[in-house]
Amino acid sequence: MEARFSPINQILPWCRQDLAISISKAINTQEAPVKEKHARRIILGTHHEKGAFTFWSYAIGLPLPSSSILSWKFCHVLHKVLRDGHPNVLHDCQRYRSNIREIGDLWGHLHDRYGQLVNVYTKLLLTKISFHLKHPQFPAGLEVTDEVLEKAAGTDVNNIFQLTVEMFDYMDCELKLSESVFRQLNTAIAVSQMSTGQCRLAPLIQVIQDCSHLYHYTVKLLFKLHSCLPADTLQGHRDRFHEQFHSLRNFFRRASDMLYFKRLIQIPRLPEGPPNFLRASALAEHIKPVVVIPEEAPEDEEPENLIEISMGPPVGEPVVVADLFDQTFGPPNGSVKDDRDLRIESLKREVEMLRSELEKIKLEVPGVGMGGGRAPQKPRQGPHISHPPAGPAVHLAAEEPGERTGGRAGGAAEAEAEGPGGQ
């Protein structure tokens, strides 16, 4: 995994401030899914520094108790970092278990829809950290070969039994999160195309990835157990697996029907019924579910600049260097300015500048300003008038120097005003 990211690191220099900006853009209070490009930069940062020290140094300062959406997106980014970040991320996250638990307990006591999801999500993250620390053979991404699985299970039937139970617990946390999300959403297809629905659905991509591996491992372990223990002894395991199988199959089916997932992930289809563990030959009929994630998400098709470009202040205005914390996490109210906000502000400044230029032109060009409607029509006959009327125009120019009438080319009033008599 580290080798896959290293070429990009050579092209795009990494620094802590860049990581802080990515964190502030990925974890905010906007009810919209986390953008993949921001999460990817955070993951790249963990591979660069071989851990999550910088991630946590900034994440620990986020006002998570003030916003349930902020906490939900924090959990989502942490899930991504655990799965795809550097292996040392797991040990760094272990040091902050109490922080993760506290934010989950806080929102679990409040009647907030996102808060209830945060409570379930933090339990999943804590279970994930504990499992992979106890079983280092399984990376946080959960992808291992069958040979590694056999080696991790060993030959002691008690260890195999216990490992299967822990995977059941792991799967329960994953499925509970998916069920909690679906309970809060209308099952209409259109919901998955709205940002509010996508904000809740986005973390389920990682859940689908985790569940596909856990399902395959539990099937392999249960067949191994049935080859060592009597069927009656494993009745509880079979019942628990059957319950999870039907929940997982229903989850995959509902997710496959949503347009949001169709463009981001290929969800495997489980068989109609669970495997028959009482028949050893049924293991050969088992097909490992494979999840396919496109290398580039649709939102990232537009090429990005490798150098961060920010809109500078207009010429003549002083450059104000804000506090690093404000630059990173935005103003205290939690609002974060993205590229569109900066572009809008720049356009507003341009409009104001053009408006002021237009006002200057109105004052300089006669007949365009407020007094343009008072210009006499007779001088419009052309430049052949050799004797423009005198008197009234002279007095008008003297009395109202701010309202100069007529045009520059042959205007009688202006010609009189600019002559010696107008002086």
Side-chain angles (χ1 to χ4, degrees), residues 54-123:
T54 301
F55 168 77
W56 277 107
S57 66
Y58 286 103
I60 202 68
L62 292 171
L64 300 181
S66 65
S67 171
S68 57
I69 296 178
L70 190 73
S71 301
W72 172 251
K73 298 177 83 168
F74 163 76
C75 291
H76 184 195
V77 172
L78 181 58
H79 196 172
K80 281 176 166 286
V81 169
L82 282 169
R83 279 190 54 85
D84 301 325
H86 192 273
N88 292 338
V89 165
L90 193 63
H91 297 279
D92 292 336
C93 291
Q94 170 68 9
R95 303 187 185 99
Y96 295 93
R97 284 180 59 90
S98 59
N99 300 85
I100 301 173
R101 184 182 295 105
E102 286 174 4
I103 197 64
D105 293 342
L106 170 66
W107 288 110
H109 294 301
L110 302 177
H111 297 285
D112 183 276
R113 292 173 66 82
Y114 271 102
Q116 297 302 316
L117 295 179
V118 171
N119 178 259
V120 177
Y121 209 161
T122 53
K123 292 178 181 177

Side-chain angles (χ1 to χ4, degrees), residues 87-95 97 126-140:
N88 292 338
V89 165
L90 193 63
H91 297 279
D92 292 336
C93 291
Q94 170 68 9
R95 303 187 185 99
R97 284 180 59 90
L126 292 172
T127 301
K128 188 178 189 69
I129 293 172
S130 299
F131 178 87
H132 294 287
L133 285 175
K134 185 176 181 180
H135 303 283
Q137 304 93 331
F138 295 93

Side-chain angles (χ1 to χ4, degrees), residues 296-345:
E296 292 292 334
E299 67 174 8
D300 292 329
E301 289 179 356
E302 183 179 350
E304 303 173 19
N305 292 324
L306 295 181
I307 302 175
E308 187 73 19
I309 300 176
S310 59
M311 300 298 294
V315 178
E317 292 187 8
V319 179
V320 180
V321 180
D323 183 75
L324 177 60
F325 186 84
D326 291 339
Q327 291 180 357
T328 303
F329 301 109
N333 59 6
S335 62
V336 179
K337 292 185 179 181
D338 56 13
D339 297 338
R340 291 179 298 177
D341 296 328
L342 295 174
R343 182 60 179 162
I344 290 172
E345 291 182 0

Side-chain angles (χ1 to χ4, degrees), residues 7-53:
I8 300 179
N9 289 335
Q10 296 173 6
I11 299 175
L12 179 61
W14 178 89
C15 67
R16 292 187 176 184
Q17 186 175 3
D18 292 338
L19 182 57
I21 293 173
S22 298
I23 293 173
S24 66
K25 289 183 177 181
I27 307 174
N28 52 50
T29 57
Q30 297 176 1
E31 193 172 8
V34 175
K35 289 188 177 181
E36 185 63 27
K37 60 182 180 181
H38 299 147
R40 184 167 59 247
R41 288 171 182 168
I42 297 173
I43 294 171
L44 287 173
T46 66
H47 285 273
H48 185 278
E49 70 171 2
K50 296 179 174 56
F53 174 78

Side-chain angles (χ1 to χ4, degrees), residues 101 149 152 253 280-281 370 398:
R101 184 182 295 105
L149 177 64
R253 178 185 57 80
S281 60
M370 295 294 292

